[in-house]
Structures are given as C-alpha cells and as structure tokens.
Amino acid sequence: MSPLLVKARPGSTIVEVTPESAGWTHVGFAAHRLAAGEQISLETGSRELCVVVLTGTVTVQAGEQSWEAIGGRASVFEERSPYAVYAPLDTMVSITAVSAAEVALCSAPATTHRPARLIEPSSMTRSVRGKGANTRYVCDILPQTAEADGLLVVEVVTPSGHSSSYPPHKHDSDNVPLESSLEETYYHRLNPQQGFAYQRVYTDDRSIDEAMAVENHDVVMVPRGYHPVTVPYGYDGYYLNVMAGPKRVWHFKNDPAHEWLMHTK
C-alpha cells in the first residue's frame, strides 16, 4: 500500500493525519463519526482548527462561544454548503452530535489569538471549474480571503466519469506569485459508497510516483508533487481538501506536459 494513502477504519475516528504521522510540518486532519448524543473534545494548543460539519447536526462550543444544532446535510453530495466553525489556538473545543453526524477537524500551526466564529453556508463561495469531462463543483469553506493563520479548506464534487485537480498541478515551491508551498490532504467520499476513485501523486523527477485506488473515507496525503483525481463511470466523487504552508496563499503550477489541456475547446 502507498505510504501516501491512509485507509478508513471503523469506530469513531475514521481517519487521522498528524504532522508527525505524515512527516511534514503544517497540515493536520481527522474525520469522526458520531452517534446522537456522542461528544468529542480537544484543546487546540498551538494550532488553529476548522470544524466542518460534513453530515448531520451538531452543537459546537469553542471557548465561551457555542453554536447550537448546526449542519443538517444528509450527504456531502447535497447541492448545499456545509456549516463550519473556526477556533483559534489555545481554545477548548467540544462537538456534541444532535443527530448521527460526521465531522472533519482541519488544523494548522497558528500564532494569532482571534475570536472563534461560525462560518455559515451563505458566506461560502460556490463555483464551477473546468469544462466537459473535467467539470467539477467547488465550495470554498475557508479561503485565503478569510481570516486564519495558515489553514485553507475547500470541498469539491467530481461527477461520474470526470477528472479533477486536472490538468495535474502542484504547489510545493515557495515561489510566490508563480507557486506557493502547501501541504495537502484529500479526504475522499464516493456515491454510491461502494465505489472507488484513482489519485496519482508524482513529481517531475519521479522521486514520488504513487498511483492509488481510493475508497470511501480514505485520505491521500500530498507532501509535494502533482496530484490529479479521476472518478470512474457510475460513481460521483467528493473530497475535502486541507492545505497549509509557510505562506497562506494558493498559487499552483500545471504540469508542463499537460498544459495544452488548458487550451482545448
């Protein structure tokens, strides 16, 4: 199995990636499934946190602030944006499931004390990228225009038979504005859930060249390199991206071998 692939497991913690387990510096990610009434709690410490309510309804408390019964999606494939909560460093956070729920915990190093806040679906920008069989549907949950120290969070739905993060692009060089250096995780979901998708992670010199079949709830880690995704016919794909690096800007470089795809009709 690829060292970049984190397989889903049963139980409350579906997947977990820490800087230590990934062998990198910035991105942390975990996904949890909660039955109604269950609670998870954590202290953010030296990191900032974005809680994304993927499905179900939860109550989130961050420090002295609390948001009751937020969420409501039955599926990540619904055509509506999620609720999310931003919590700064040194904050106690608790998440209590009002109904059965799935939540994502996205984190990165932080130094700024700012208020915790609710990120409402109405504040998120939804857009369409690509054309033809490269069309996908994007929701910016925590973009670079929103306040945070390092975190960038976005979700993408890729229709059946389509490609995504394509043409292949990378963001592993600190060369702003041409390219920024960002670690990234992909949390994959499939509909119907027995499906699979493919993701390749590779560098120009092929020091990394991994091709992975990903199943429902799996995570792919992208420490560097290009990282396209393809979803086979009959299944829709979803992924939640978490990015962070030394500079909180997203500038990417397309693989020159495939740049011509940007200019096709």
Side-chain angles (χ1 to χ4, degrees):
M1 188 174 74
S2 170
L4 301 182
L5 178 62
V6 181
K7 295 296 292 182
R9 56 184 188 258
S12 174
T13 302
I14 304 169
V15 281
E16 185 173 24
V17 174
T18 66
E20 292 75 23
S21 70
W24 59 30
T25 306
H26 299 276
V27 170
F29 178 79
H32 294 267
R33 55 172 70 90
L34 300 172
E38 284 191 320
Q39 182 182 87
I40 54 174
S41 299
L42 69 153
E43 167 71 44
T44 59
S46 62
R47 300 174 68 79
E48 61 186 356
L49 177 71
C50 181
V51 179
V52 182
V53 187
L54 297 173
T55 62
T57 303
V58 301
T59 291
V60 179
Q61 182 161 354
E64 300 300 315
Q65 296 182 267
S66 182
W67 295 276
E68 304 285 331
I70 60 173
R73 293 197 301 193
S75 166
V76 294
F77 293 94
E78 287 187 14
E79 291 185 15
R80 58 169 167 157
S81 304
Y83 277 83
V85 170
Y86 173 87
L89 75 168
D90 297 328
T91 302
M92 179 58 71
V93 176
S94 66
I95 304 162
T96 306
V98 177
S99 67
E102 183 179 341
V103 296
L105 307 181
C106 317
S107 69
T111 58
T112 305
H113 289 273
R114 53 171 57 87
R117 67 182 188 271
L118 177 67
I119 306 173
E120 298 193 59
S122 60
S123 72
M124 300 175 188
T125 300
R126 299 179 67 85
S127 60
V128 180
R129 288 186 194 152
K131 57 187 176 181
N134 196 37
T135 304
R136 61 270 198 199
Y137 301 92
V138 180
C139 174
D140 289 306
I141 297 168
L142 188 65
Q144 64 190 48
T145 53
E147 281 195 27
D149 278 16
L151 270 176
L152 297 164
V153 183
V154 61
E155 64 177 14
V156 178
V157 172
T158 307
S160 167
H162 284 216
S163 298
S164 196
S165 294
Y166 191 80
H169 70 263
K170 73 181 184 77
H171 38 72
D172 59 15
S173 175
D174 189 6
N175 188 27
V176 175
L178 298 179
E179 186 179 352
S180 54
S181 178
L182 297 168
E183 303 161 355
E184 186 169 21
T185 53
Y186 276 68
Y187 178 54
H188 289 273
R189 297 293 309 276
L190 282 304
N191 183 38
Q193 64 181 5
Q194 72 269 26
F196 58 90
Y198 295 106
Q199 184 157 23
R200 184 185 181 196
V201 180
Y202 67 98
T203 56
D204 288 311
D205 63 4
R206 301 304 192 265
S207 58
I208 295 176
D209 193 356
E210 301 283 340
M212 292 156 277
V214 295
E215 297 177 295
N216 202 31
H217 297 290
D218 288 350
V219 167
V220 171
M221 301 182 294
V222 184
R224 55 195 175 93
Y226 308 99
H227 41 275
V229 175
T230 299
V231 182
Y233 171 76
Y235 296 91
D236 293 326
Y238 164 98
Y239 51 79
L240 180 72
N241 285 143
V242 183
M243 293 182 283
K247 296 176 183 174
R248 192 171 176 262
V249 289
W250 183 55
H251 294 285
F252 62 87
K253 175 190 174 185
N254 288 325
D255 184 342
H258 305 293
E259 180 72 29
W260 66 271
L261 292 164
M262 297 295 295
H263 309 295
T264 58
K265 293 183 179 180

